[in-house]
Amino acid sequence: MTDPKAVGHLERIARDGYTVVENAFSADEADAILDDLARLERDLGIDFARNDFEGRRTKRVYNLLAHGERFEAIPVHPAVLPIVEGVLDAGCLVSSLSSIAIHPGECAQPIHADDQLLPLAKPHVATVCNTM
């Protein structure tokens, strides 16, 4: 890895467990994504989840990769992909691309690891790298 910005983000992840990529995309791009998500919620009849883990005041749209080029571009964004590859490795796979809209009155989700179903002793090498 030679990109100094990506290296800085990887150092922050190693130190703090997270990093923030500021201005990864424009406000116009964010608005377009939000418009598409609102359309999908309507078209797919997405309602609040029905369990405490997913949230009874949270709406989720799963499998966004199936819903168009705007979503296909997210996991390969040039400001983010090099960081994810630095955590996992080149050739990493997308396991999920979904939206999570938390509405007022939602309870906090229990603290959990997204790799908790993998039968690996902890600590272990990174198997998941989430972006939001």
Side-chain angles (χ1 to χ4, degrees), residues 13 19 21 74-77 79-81 83-85 87 94 96-98 100 114 128-132:
I13 290 169
T19 190
V21 180
I74 292 172
V76 294
H77 192 287
V80 179
L81 182 58
I83 300 165
V84 173
E85 289 179 329
V87 171
V94 175
S96 173
L97 183 65
S98 58
I100 302 172
D114 283 348
V128 175
C129 182
N130 292 329
T131 64
M132 297 181 196

Side-chain angles (χ1 to χ4, degrees), residues 57-103:
R57 300 283 308 146
T58 297
K59 292 184 178 184
R60 296 169 184 256
V61 181
Y62 293 104
N63 197 22
L64 289 174
L65 289 176
H67 295 287
E69 291 179 14
R70 185 175 321 281
F71 299 112
E72 292 169 8
I74 292 172
V76 294
H77 192 287
V80 179
L81 182 58
I83 300 165
V84 173
E85 289 179 329
V87 171
L88 297 175
D89 206 351
C92 54
L93 301 175
V94 175
S95 63
S96 173
L97 183 65
S98 58
S99 69
I100 302 172
I102 301 170
H103 290 251

Side-chain angles (χ1 to χ4, degrees), residues 30-47 59-61 63-72 99 101:
D31 288 341
I33 291 169
L34 289 173
D35 288 345
D36 273 355
L37 289 171
R39 176 187 53 78
L40 286 172
E41 284 182 4
R42 280 191 314 274
D43 293 354
L44 299 173
I46 301 296
D47 201 358
K59 292 184 178 184
R60 296 169 184 256
V61 181
N63 197 22
L64 289 174
L65 289 176
H67 295 287
E69 291 179 14
R70 185 175 321 281
F71 299 112
E72 292 169 8
S99 69

